[in-house]
Each structure stands twice: as C-alpha cells, then as structure tokens.
Amino acid sequence: LTIARVSLPVPAATPFDYWVPDGLAVEPGSAVRVRLGRRRLVGVAIDLVGESEVPPEQLMPLDEVVVGLPPLSAEVLELARFVSSYYHAPLGQCLALALPSLTRPRRRASPLQNDAAPSAPSHAVHALNDEQRAAAAAIAAARGRFTPFLLRGVTGSGKTAVYLDAAARVIAEGGQVLLLVPEINLTPQLAERVRVTLGNASVAVLHSGLPAGARRAHWESAATGSADIVLGTRLAVFAIMPRLGLIVVDEEHDASYKQQEGVRYHARDVAVFRARTRGVPIVLGSATPSLETHWSASSGRYMALALTRRAGAHPALPPVRRVARRDGNAVEGVGAELQAAIRERLARREQTLLFVNRRGFAPSLLCAGCGWKAECARCDARLVVHRDPPGLRCHHCGHAQALPRACPHCGNQDLLPLGSGTQRLERAVATLFPQARVVRVDRDATRRKGAFDGMRDAITRGDADILVGTQMLAKGHDFPRLTLVGVLGADNALYSGEFRATESLFALLEQVAGRAGRGDEPGEVIVQTDFPDHPVYAALAAHDYAALASSLLSERKSLSLPPFAHLALLRAEARREAAVQAFLDNAVRLGRSLAGETAPACEVYAPVPATLPRRAGLWRSQVLVQAPRRAPLHALLDAWLPALTALDTASVRWSVDVDPQSFA
DNA sequence: AGCACGCCGACT
DNA sequence: GTCGGCGTGCTC
C-alpha cells in the first residue's frame, strides 16, 4: 500500500496521509484532490511512503491527481519549504502559491503571447550605450553561477534594454529567464517590448489579473520549458522553470513585491534565495534601490552596476524647483509658479502631469460650526469626500454613505471639504485652464476593464493636455510630449511614522520626476512644499540618491533597523479590544521568557495599537520583535509561534509578519 | 481555514 | 420545548 503525504492549504503544520488507489500515478510534487472532513481540497503530495502513523481505518483514499498539471519540481518544492520556514507560514499555504488556480476545469491552452507577434530582428542589442553594454556583459559573464547584481540606473536610462540584452544571451544558450515586475499595469507594455526585441522568444505572462484559463496555460508553458521568458508579478517567483538561467527583478524597491496578507513573502527576497539555490545570476534593478539592497551592494555582497545617463535627447535628469505651498495666488492649492508653468506648456502644446497621491475629492469633511469631522463607523479613519460619484467613502473598509447636507452633530450647513485629492485638483485645473483637456488617472477612474489602457493610449496620442493622477501614472510610462511634472501634497508622507517613509517618498518622487522630458523637449519638475529644505527634497533637486541613502542608512544603524537589524511583527485583531490586549500581553510575557532562554539578543516590545487601531469593526494591536541577526529571530519565532497557538482563543485572529514593511 | 459539536438565552 | 449564539477542537 502506498501512502501519499499531502500538504493542504490549511493552517495545520503537518501534512495529511491518504492511501493511493491502484492506477493513480502520483509522484512528489503532484497536485491531488482529497477530502478533508467534508471539504474537497487541492493539495500537493510532498512524499510517498510505505506506512502511516494514522490508524488505517482513518485513512481516506486520494480522489484524483489533477490531470495535465506537471508536478511541482523538486526545486519549487524546496522553494516552498524555504518560504514556509522563513515566513513561518504553513507549508500547504506556501505550496498553494506555487499552483495555478485550480478552481475551474482545464480548458484548451490559449496560444502564448508571441504567436501573433512578428519575428522582428533584435535591435536593442545594437542600440546599447557604453554603460548598458558593460552592464549586460557583466551579467552575461556570470551565467551558471549565483551572482547578485544591483543595476542602479536613473529613470529613463534604459535598464530594460540591459535586462533584455542579458535575457537574449541566456535564451540563445537554451536558458529560461524570469522577469518580475511590480504591477499588472506594466506587464502588457513590457510583454510587447519583449516580443519586439526578442522576436523569436516565447513569453509566458503570469499575474493575478489574468483569466484562469490563460493563467494556467502560461503556467504550464513555464513548467514544461516551452516559454523562454516568464514575465509576471510577485506570484511568478514560484513558477516552475526547468531551464532557469537568469532572474531579473525590475523596480526591486517597490513595496508591492511584499505580499500583505496570507503568506507575507517578499518576492524579491524569495527570488534571491531561488537564484542562490539554482546557481544563476539575479539582477535587481532600480533608480532608487531599497536601503537593504543598496547596503548589500555597497558592502560588496552584491555586484554594483550603474547607468548614469538617460537615453534619448536629454541625458540629464530634469531640473527640480521647490516652491512654497502657501502662496497668496494659489487656486485650490495650485500655486502661481505652477500655474505659470502649466500655462507655458499649454502654449507650447506640451503635456503636464500633476501628481497628487490621494484619490477622491478631499480627504476629510469638517463642520465649520462645531469642528465635527466625518468618520467611519467601523474604522479609526476619516471618511473621504468623493464627487464623482458623490458620497463619503472609507478607503480602509470600503464603507460608503451619502454626503450629509448638514452637520449631524450641530445641524450647521457649512460643511468644508478639507485638503485636496485628484478629483478636486482635476476640477481646479479645469476651472483655471478651461481650454485644456484634463484627464484624471486614479483607481476610481480606471476601475473599468481596459480603461487604463485607453487613457494611456489617449495620452500618448496627445489627446490630453493636463494629467491629474496618483502613483498609477508615476511608474514606467513613456509620454514623449510630457515636459512638466507638478507634485502636490507630497509633504503628507513626511508625517507618516513609517520607518521607510522618506525612502519610499524619494523613490516615488524620483520616479514621477522621471516622467518629464523623455521626448525631444527638456523636462522640468515643480514640487510644492512647506519644507523645501527637507533632505528628501534636497536630494530630489540634486537627483542624489547616494547622499540620501547614506544618511538614511546611518539613521537606520543608530535605531537598529534593517538592514542592521531584523524585524518581525506579531499582529492581532478581535471584535473586543480587551481580547486583543489580553492575548498580546500573554504573548509578550511568553516571548520575553523564551527570548531569555534561547535568544537573549532579541527584544520583544510591548504591545502597541496598529497604525489603524480599528478597522472594519476589529480592534488591532501589534508586538514588534527586533533582533541583531536573523538566526536568533527565527529561533525565537520557532519556539514562540507554536506556543501562541496554545494560548490563543477563537475570538482573536493573529499572524506574524517577518520583515514587515512598516510597523508604525 | 471550514465545519462540526456543544452548552446556554429568546421565540414558534 | 426548539432555534441558534459562537467558544473549542479536529480534519488523514
């Protein structure tokens, strides 16, 4: 009798045993359907053994092996094991990340993206400048060995051309390339560019927005080796790739590589682990690398490659003007200097991008009579005023209600929308420049399928004069007629207590600044701020990433924060505040006593309320753990988390986040 | 995670 | 007398 040990996507730490009926071809890595209780689940057979410790009468048979699905390779099984142990998540949930969605029956594989593409000759290879050529050559020279690279290239310097040149060489030698990007929005453009540049390569695209059938077809083409390039968002890091020869992580600093629910893995870090176990080079590309990666490069553990010049007519980055936000002639927050600059662009038929990283009309609604502010009933958050369509909305739980006509507290009818979001800015510029064609690009405006692509094409065609948008517009787009970028409301990020706030703001601003002057005409950036001398704006004006990074690194060092320390965050939430408090108090007591025994260097801090102490009706609190090195941190978590399972109650939901992006 | 079981309050 | 609240514990 053969017993399959099956790992299932449930919180249980151990696999479940099933007997294998005659005729079922199961091997380690096979996806199988089984019954657990009265549920039917898909799991992964991680081992085949002769006997089970479970009494025979309790054993159930495997129902079936998922047809047509290649088994997970030994390498991906190991990858899932690593993710499980590093992020302290159940193996079954980590294995589930490596499987395509199996909710629908198998459909005929849809053709791969490249089938319709012309077999265009590769021209990028010949268009590389000296820096790009040197970078691509260094990457190519590392083939067959784990070699981590940091490719730091200013915005518009042509990092993609370097990736694709290196990819072409790997593919020419029979290898597969894994190319990770942060956002779904960017994959169609990049896929198109890959097809044009590497006309003969077949591309598999993997992201969560893909229809299930297409996703499965692309997943299979990666797994069978028929795809040369796998291009995708963070989940693609788990794709089976038998001939993997190179990994590229584009915009490696981007926060969307960190999964924020379930298994909280960081795809960039998983990718580095994968490159190491597979013995292949990995390229982390960014204009503004994360401080972790920057530190690895400056301490010599990663090989640093640099692209210092923009491709195109204007090799220098656009000049940045810092102007006062408060200004007697400002209209709805658009100051006189910015107005004048926009007017110039309109006269020259050039485009302006106004960047404000807040959607909606105004971030809060204030009663002029009594000071009441509209708040969400289920969250500790202000309701955001929307005008299109009108209403008050909570950006944390999705709650929506009608705009009140009068203050519910004192009856005053004088209600003031406070602050400015994309909708208000859109209306303001439409009033200021009635002749201009204004396009707003944010999540609300692009919710409809295909809306984003339509807007992007319209902007590229020149059917828009002023773009008002959130960070959706900041990343990766190439609008040749865009010569002015105005930044509004960026100071808000400086009030955030998150330890990465300055770093992320700089990355975002440098990225949005890079949208200006990519075509024939030079660009300019105007930042409206109350703090023109703040280091983040000073660094932006000088386009001096290195200086900001070294000052932020010394700050991190003195505060014992990553990359000089390692963090884990225990989060808990419950309907009753006291239940959260009691659970975390116990957890801290236990954690400190365990740290005393096994990991004296670990610091277990007292519970503090989460950034949003109440969300969707749940009270949320957290405990930070800080350690000088990874090993003691993981030793503590290994002892602590199972013990927490013993003392928790059904009313409290908790989870651990290893390497949290933020804790304040 | 589901989904049971199980033991205490307001309804046909 | 039952319906049902969600606390506790198991699922191969």
Side-chain angles (χ1 to χ4, degrees):
Chain A
L1 187 66
T2 309
I3 305 292
R5 317 214 71 193
V6 179
S7 194
L8 293 167
V10 294
T14 49
F16 294 80
D17 292 352
Y18 293 84
W19 58 270
V20 181
D22 283 346
L24 277 193
V26 185
E27 51 187 300
S30 295
V32 296
R33 293 185 201 277
V34 297
R35 276 161 296 176
L36 183 69
R38 52 185 58 196
R39 286 183 297 163
R40 304 187 84 245
L41 295 171
V42 174
V44 175
I46 53 171
D47 206 0
L48 295 168
V49 293
E51 53 187 303
S52 172
E53 291 180 4
V54 179
E57 65 275 14
Q58 279 182 34
L59 284 183
M60 302 275 278
L62 279 183
D63 289 337
E64 58 174 343
V65 178
V66 176
V67 271
L69 203 66
L72 297 183
S73 61
E75 184 226 348
V76 168
L77 286 175
E78 187 193 342
L79 192 64
R81 279 197 188 91
F82 162 73
V83 167
S84 169
S85 70
Y86 186 85
Y87 293 101
H88 298 266
L91 178 61
Q93 289 178 4
C94 300
L95 286 164
L97 298 170
L99 292 175
S101 166
L102 298 170
T103 48
R104 282 194 215 176
R106 179 182 162 76
R107 270 195 272 143
R108 191 62 239 133
S110 62
L112 288 187
Q113 301 271 320
N114 61 307
D115 288 7
S119 210
S122 167
H123 52 72
V125 176
H126 306 291
L128 298 186
N129 65 30
D130 292 349
E131 287 180 333
Q132 289 172 313
R133 228 190 332 270
I139 298 163
R143 66 181 176 279
R145 281 178 290 124
F146 169 62
T147 314
F149 293 94
L150 165 58
L151 176 61
R152 191 158 81 76
V154 300
T155 55
S157 61
K159 291 186 290 290
T160 306
V162 174
Y163 307 150
L164 295 186
D165 185 81
R169 303 193 203 197
V170 168
I171 293 166
E173 293 183 359
Q176 285 176 294
V177 177
L178 174 60
L179 175 48
L180 300 180
V181 294
E183 293 200 40
I184 297 174
N185 277 336
L186 299 177
T187 54
Q189 281 167 284
L190 195 52
E192 178 57 28
R193 174 128 180 231
V194 169
R195 267 174 256 137
V196 170
T197 310
L198 313 172
N200 300 317
S202 91
V203 187
V205 178
L206 285 177
H207 59 75
S208 58
L210 226 50
R215 188 160 146 195
R216 174 140 175 206
H218 287 245
W219 186 91
E220 285 186 25
S221 74
T224 58
S226 81
D228 298 308
I229 294 201
V230 176
L231 167 60
T233 53
R234 60 173 180 262
L235 59 90
V237 77
F238 295 103
I240 304 170
M241 298 178 68
R243 300 182 283 112
L244 182 65
L246 171 67
I247 302 178
V248 177
V249 183
D250 190 26
E251 307 294 0
E252 67 84 28
H253 65 278
D254 199 291
S256 50
Y257 283 120
K258 179 89 200 257
Q259 174 124 31
Q260 291 295 6
E261 55 184 41
V263 184
R264 303 176 87 107
Y265 66 96
H266 198 303
R268 179 242 291 145
D269 298 344
V270 175
V272 171
F273 174 85
R274 189 171 187 182
R276 183 180 290 120
T277 55
R278 280 295 287 260
V280 300
I282 179 168
V283 181
L284 308 180
S286 178
T288 53
S290 64
L291 291 182
E292 285 86 344
T293 299
H294 176 66
W295 175 243
S296 294
S298 30
S299 60
R301 282 178 295 121
Y302 290 2
M303 191 180 232
L305 305 169
L307 306 179
T308 59
R309 292 189 300 275
R310 291 174 115 189
H314 302 281
L317 287 161
V320 176
R321 249 199 284 166
R322 291 164 275 173
V323 304
R325 186 181 64 107
R326 296 176 209 281
D327 156 348
N329 297 314
V331 175
E332 291 267 19
V334 184
E337 286 194 59
L338 186 51
Q339 290 179 37
I342 296 172
R343 202 156 281 127
E344 283 174 34
R345 272 30 181 225
L346 290 172
R348 295 206 295 259
R349 305 191 152 276
E350 295 168 8
Q351 288 171 324
T352 296
L353 164 59
L354 296 181
F355 172 75
V356 52
N357 209 14
R358 259 181 178 164
R359 60 198 177 87
F361 183 82
S364 62
L365 186 67
L366 171 77
C367 170
C370 71
W372 168 87
K373 282 180 177 152
E375 286 180 351
C376 179
R378 309 171 67 219
C379 306
D380 283 323
R382 303 272 160 77
L383 291 171
V384 177
V385 182
H386 280 248
R387 284 283 170 90
D388 175 26
L392 289 174
R393 303 227 307 252
C394 177
H395 285 188
H396 300 281
C397 73
H399 166 80
Q401 63 185 68
L403 278 170
R405 293 181 162 275
C407 172
H409 198 246
C410 72
N412 191 319
Q413 302 203 345
D414 196 6
L415 297 179
L416 302 173
L418 222 59
S420 190
T422 45
Q423 293 177 8
R424 190 171 201 166
L425 187 57
E426 176 190 27
R427 203 179 66 166
V429 281
T431 311
L432 277 168
F433 309 104
Q435 75 283 14
R437 296 161 298 174
V438 182
V439 176
R440 173 167 61 90
V441 185
D442 57 24
R443 204 163 86 216
D444 300 307
T446 58
R447 207 176 293 274
R448 221 179 58 251
K449 192 173 183 299
F452 184 83
D453 293 338
M455 286 185 189
R456 196 189 53 227
D457 294 346
I459 296 166
T460 307
R461 277 198 309 273
D463 291 347
D465 302 308
I466 302 176
L467 327 174
V468 174
T470 56
Q471 56 180 306
M472 268 189 140
L473 270 185
K475 300 179 181 180
H477 307 291
D478 201 345
F479 303 127
R481 306 161 72 104
L482 179 61
T483 59
L484 173 65
V485 166
V487 176
L488 297 90
D491 289 348
N492 290 311
L494 302 175
Y495 299 121
S496 143
E498 297 184 13
F499 74 96
R500 295 176 202 273
T502 308
E503 171 191 350
S504 319
L505 177 61
F506 181 76
L508 189 55
L509 293 181
E510 195 62 84
Q511 227 159 15
V512 71
R515 297 313 106 206
R518 295 171 78 95
D520 295 333
E521 304 304 324
E524 185 189 15
V525 180
I526 295 181
V527 180
Q528 293 193 173
T529 172
D530 288 339
F531 313 107
D533 298 323
H534 190 286
V536 75
Y537 298 125
L540 182 73
H543 294 296
D544 193 347
Y545 166 84
L548 184 67
S550 83
S551 104
L552 291 176
L553 275 176
S554 53
E555 214 174 285
R556 295 275 185 92
K557 189 162 197 168
S558 67
L559 295 171
S560 292
L561 289 171
F564 303 103
H566 297 91
L567 305 178
L569 196 62
L570 176 69
R571 306 169 196 270
E573 60 180 28
R575 223 155 270 290
R576 289 185 312 115
E577 191 179 12
V580 183
Q581 196 59 42
F583 171 71
L584 287 183
D585 285 344
N586 283 331
V588 166
R589 212 167 300 133
L590 192 59
R592 285 180 179 163
S593 100
L594 287 169
E597 293 162 23
T598 64
C602 292
E603 178 97 37
V604 178
Y605 287 91
V608 293
T611 316
L612 204 62
R614 203 165 55 98
R615 189 177 69 181
L618 296 171
W619 293 92
R620 308 156 73 230
S621 239
Q622 59 195 28
V623 166
L624 181 69
V625 183
Q626 188 182 47
R629 309 202 56 80
R630 285 221 166 86
L633 179 66
H634 286 275
L636 174 62
L637 294 177
D638 281 334
W640 195 28
L641 301 182
L644 288 181
T645 314
L647 64 81
D648 71 1
T649 56
S651 69
V652 179
R653 288 193 3 205
W654 60 272
S655 63
V656 69
D657 186 350
V658 176
D659 301 337
Q661 289 293 113
S662 73
F663 57 83

